[in-house]
Amino acid sequence: MNFVVKIFPEITIKSKPVRQRFVKQLRRNIRTLLRPIDPGIDVTGTWDKIIISTEQQDEQVCRQIREQLQHTPGICHILEVVDFPLVDLDDITEKAFQVMGEAIRGKTFCVRCQRNGHHEFSSIEVERYVGGGLLQRVQDCSVKLKNPDVTVRIEIHHKQLYIVRERHLGIGGYPLGTQDAVLSLISGGFDSTVSSFLTMKRGVLTHFCFFNLGGHAHEIGVKEVAYYLWSKYGASHRVKFITVPFEGVVEEILTKVDNSYMGVLLKRMMLRAADKVAENLDVHALVTGEAISQVSSQTLPNLGVINQATDRLVLRPLITMDKQDIIDTAARIGTEEFAKHMPEYCGVISVNPTTRAKPEKVSREEQVFDFAVLEQAISCASAVSIHEVMQDDRQIHEVQIDEVLPEQAIVIDIRHPDEEENKPLELDNEVKTVPFYQLSRVFAELDRNQHYYLYCEKGVMSQLHALHLLDEGYKNVKVYRPAK
């Protein structure tokens, strides 16, 4: 099986050195992401396409490769191809019949050819010749040049012939690592997860910064969605997840700041703290999920006042997006369920929040704020590499992890529905499918006399959720992590 990766069109209009650098980075990223799936995979290509060759014939492995490519920034689309040495037009027709004959039977079709190199025929001649040949060979089919049921795609690159079996869209954007790093302020909701995705899609190394306002369940949820975003769209590079304990800052605001200005001051304190974190990471920009007037703190006057808390560049990818557009994007990238079920912890709620904050008023309010509390929060910030973000020292002692299941054990598959569908868990034991975001509710309804084993692909989220259930008082939960 071969895959032909077509790069994002914006890359093709770059200068030659920039384009070569971007393609080289994309090629490197693809190798990093695919070799855990197939150690023998071969990745080549230098200019307008990347060729990926694998000896694997297992459909599940090929599907994993395809889906990883679909989630890799910098890719416009992916072609699943069967390749042959180029001979002549008759041979092209024969190979197209072998690969696509059954696909066009009883349907309308057209032939499209893309060609690089010098040949005795043109692309249009290939389309006409192959189309006529298929029409003669395949019963109950007909040619339709506009909106056919099936498009037979042929690519000819010098002396190589590719017959395209399937064509899949990528996410576009720039290869991760071609742009400088940013620090994304993430709360786990719709906005911050989508804004983080958009910077990752643009090739930006995106570190995550979470301000813990006092909710342990919220922290677990934010770690989960950050890990999900990284593992699905950015696993070619390692980034950091930083937690800043902000309970003291919230208390200081609640007890000393005018009610109408609490939200604005909280955002300013977050930017100040994020600025220090970014400085330590040598990151030059911050990212937020703010959109104009979505909430009171996001009016233009308030955003202007909030911006004044830092000299660092603040990027707002969602600034003009409608809420429904943001939700639709979250659904498309897989963070909607995280956001919908994210435990909330409201740090400050103003009764009559200002929508037109005045700099002089903000200055007076901040004069009564004890900035030692903010400095303490910053000094207590903890940073961990994203691939370790779900680990918790307590797991080692409190969560039992088994490689072999008892005969009567019940396994609960807590993976995201997309993961479960793509790679079903096949066991002799009873398996219940309960997505992680429904686990707390469903587990409360289960028989407490029965022991349950949580399962996820890498054993990370299952350990964290088992720990959380133990904290809730359940003693009948363990983790199933089969030996590799």
Side-chain angles (χ1 to χ4, degrees), residues 4-7 12 19 23 45-50 116 157:
V4 176
V5 167
K6 296 300 183 72
I7 63 175
T12 66
R19 179 172 176 174
V23 174
T46 57
W47 187 243
D48 62 342
K49 65 183 181 301
I50 293 174
N116 289 328
H157 300 288

Side-chain angles (χ1 to χ4, degrees), residues 6 48 86 89 92 112-127 154-158 160:
K6 296 300 183 72
D48 62 342
L86 179 64
L89 289 175
I92 295 172
R112 293 289 179 257
C113 176
Q114 289 189 350
R115 189 177 54 86
N116 289 328
H118 298 286
H119 306 96
E120 295 180 351
F121 45 75
S122 67
S123 298
I124 293 178
E125 288 173 332
V126 173
E127 294 173 357
I154 297 172
E155 299 222 356
I156 299 172
H157 300 288
H158 302 288
Q160 201 70 18

Side-chain angles (χ1 to χ4, degrees), residues 423-439:
K423 195 175 181 180
L425 181 61
E426 299 178 355
L427 297 172
D428 293 333
N429 295 70
E430 179 182 350
V431 178
K432 292 181 179 292
T433 301
V434 182
F436 61 90
Y437 49 80
Q438 296 177 356
L439 184 62

Side-chain angles (χ1 to χ4, degrees), residues 86-231:
L86 179 64
V87 182
D88 54 26
L89 289 175
D90 287 328
D91 188 68
I92 295 172
T93 303
E94 175 62 29
K95 298 302 189 297
F97 173 70
Q98 292 177 16
V99 177
M100 298 297 294
E102 285 303 313
I104 66 174
R105 192 177 303 279
K107 298 179 180 178
T108 61
F109 77 96
C110 72
V111 179
R112 293 289 179 257
C113 176
Q114 289 189 350
R115 189 177 54 86
N116 289 328
H118 298 286
H119 306 96
E120 295 180 351
F121 45 75
S122 67
S123 298
I124 293 178
E125 288 173 332
V126 173
E127 294 173 357
R128 290 173 176 170
Y129 197 93
V130 174
L134 292 176
L135 195 60
Q136 291 177 351
R137 291 168 181 250
V138 181
Q139 295 180 348
D140 302 325
C141 68
S142 60
V143 173
K144 185 180 179 183
L145 298 181
K146 291 187 178 180
N147 301 317
D149 297 326
V150 179
T151 299
V152 177
R153 300 183 186 277
I154 297 172
E155 299 222 356
I156 299 172
H157 300 288
H158 302 288
K159 297 299 182 180
Q160 201 70 18
L161 168 67
Y162 297 96
I163 307 296
V164 180
R165 289 179 52 191
E166 291 188 63
R167 183 176 184 269
H168 309 278
L169 286 176
I171 62 171
Y174 292 158
L176 203 62
T178 56
Q179 310 301 314
D180 291 332
V182 297
L183 180 67
S184 180
L185 281 60
I186 186 167
S187 66
F190 290 103
D191 303 337
S192 62
T193 54
V194 172
S195 63
S196 298
F197 162 76
L198 290 175
T199 56
M200 295 167 69
K201 175 185 172 183
R202 201 63 178 170
V204 178
L205 288 178
T206 303
H207 301 278
F208 302 96
C209 184
F210 168 62
F211 292 95
N212 192 339
L213 306 183
H216 179 60
H218 188 187
E219 181 179 6
I220 292 174
V222 176
K223 285 182 175 180
E224 284 179 339
V225 72
Y227 182 83
Y228 170 86
L229 279 169
W230 169 77
S231 62

Side-chain angles (χ1 to χ4, degrees), residues 310-353:
T310 178
D311 291 330
R312 202 170 300 271
L313 176 64
V314 180
L315 303 177
R316 295 180 170 91
L318 313 183
I319 194 66
T320 62
M321 289 181 67
D322 297 332
K323 188 66 176 183
Q324 190 58 53
D325 293 335
I326 296 169
I327 293 173
D328 291 343
T329 303
R332 178 168 53 82
I333 66 176
T335 60
E336 180 186 28
E337 294 297 340
F338 289 93
K340 283 167 58 177
H341 297 88
M342 186 65 61
E344 293 187 4
Y345 186 91
C346 297
V348 297
I349 301 177
S350 297
V351 178
N352 294 302

